[in-house]
Amino acid sequence: MNIFVVGGGPSGLLAAAKLSEAGFKVTVIEEHSKVGFPEHCTGIVRENFVNLVGYSDLKSIILAKYTGGYVSLELDDEIHHVDTGSIKAVMIDRPLYERVLSDYASCAGAKIMLGKPAKIVRAGDSYVVKFKDQVFKPDLIIGARGPRANPNLKVITGLQAYVLFPNSLEQGSLYVAFSRFFADFFGWVAPYGDGTLAKVGVASANKNLRWSLIK
């Protein structure tokens, strides 16, 4: 069976790796020219994600482990701080994760096509993959382009920065704030390394995300 995976993010690459290992002929077609970039999220996943994915050596891409956190809520112009108690999560190196999955898929026999913004289009009673003047008619198409590929979904945009703090933050804790003031939705601080490095971001309906992030 000839399988096309449209989208070279984590889900698409993982599907390609597993299907290739199972002996299928798999082609991944990805719009960006480099696997893992641009980085699409902070990389916070469940503690047992390594077991869920099924590749034990992925432990090497874990940047931080979280056992607790703090949530700030803006209610009636007052800020309330809540200790989340015990949580079990890790931060992974998301770009490296995608590159590792790409290597798994390639080594298993999958073909990775980069820099090709393809579309899945209807052709009679079936669907095809189209890139410019090229049309591919595989036996099975897996759409893995993420929520933005669905025009019926309203997707909240996020923006994130890598920040170096002068003093170490509390390691093992995530910080999340829900506020109208800076984001119209929520923001986060996710420390990693020795605690002086953190990913700081906002998810907002506000079109001026840079302003939200600075706030």
Side-chain angles (χ1 to χ4, degrees):
M1 178 181 286
N2 183 18
I3 302 174
F4 257 64
V5 179
V6 181
S11 59
L13 291 170
L14 182 58
K18 296 293 186 181
L19 289 168
S20 297
E21 289 173 342
F24 294 101
K25 182 180 178 181
V26 181
T27 299
V28 178
I29 186 163
E30 161 61 31
E31 64 177 324
H32 296 109
S33 59
K34 187 175 182 180
V35 172
F37 292 93
E39 188 174 359
H40 290 292
C41 75
T42 306
I44 305 296
V45 295
R46 292 172 56 179
E47 182 186 44
N48 64 339
F49 103 101
V50 170
N51 296 329
L52 293 173
V53 172
Y55 297 113
S56 60
D57 55 339
L58 287 176
K59 292 180 181 178
S60 62
I61 69 171
I62 294 176
L63 298 177
K65 294 183 179 181
Y66 302 104
T67 56
Y70 301 92
V71 177
S72 297
L73 303 173
E74 179 187 353
L75 300 171
D76 299 324
D77 297 325
E78 292 185 359
I79 303 297
H80 301 266
H81 302 286
V82 180
D83 188 335
T84 64
S86 176
I87 62 174
K88 292 183 179 181
V90 296
M91 178 198 288
I92 62 171
D93 186 328
R94 167 71 182 264
L96 178 57
Y97 175 47
E98 294 188 26
R99 293 197 297 272
V100 170
L101 289 181
S102 178
D103 289 342
Y104 284 153
S106 295
C107 290
K111 180 180 180 181
I112 312 292
M113 301 171 64
L114 300 176
K116 298 186 181 297
K119 294 182 179 180
I120 302 173
V121 297
R122 190 185 249 319
D125 295 332
S126 62
Y127 289 87
V128 298
V129 176
K130 186 174 182 181
F131 170 69
K132 293 184 177 179
D133 294 331
Q134 294 179 284
V135 178
F136 304 95
K137 299 179 180 180
D139 300 309
L140 178 66
I141 300 172
I142 297 176
R145 293 189 297 155
R148 292 187 184 280
N150 187 336
N152 297 318
L153 291 179
K154 182 179 180 181
V155 181
I156 296 294
T157 304
L159 184 65
Q160 179 172 263
Y162 289 82
V163 177
L164 177 63
F165 286 83
N167 299 308
S168 179
L169 301 176
E170 182 179 341
Q171 296 188 51
S173 291
L174 283 169
Y175 303 84
V176 178
F178 292 86
S179 171
R180 293 178 288 106
F181 174 66
F182 67 85
D184 292 334
F185 190 16
F186 77 99
W188 61 90
V189 179
Y192 66 100
D194 63 357
T196 60
L197 289 170
K199 296 181 182 181
V200 179
V202 292
S204 175
N206 190 332
K207 293 182 179 180
N208 193 342
L209 280 172
R210 186 174 180 273
W211 178 89
S212 295
L213 181 60
I214 291 171
K215 283 288 184 180

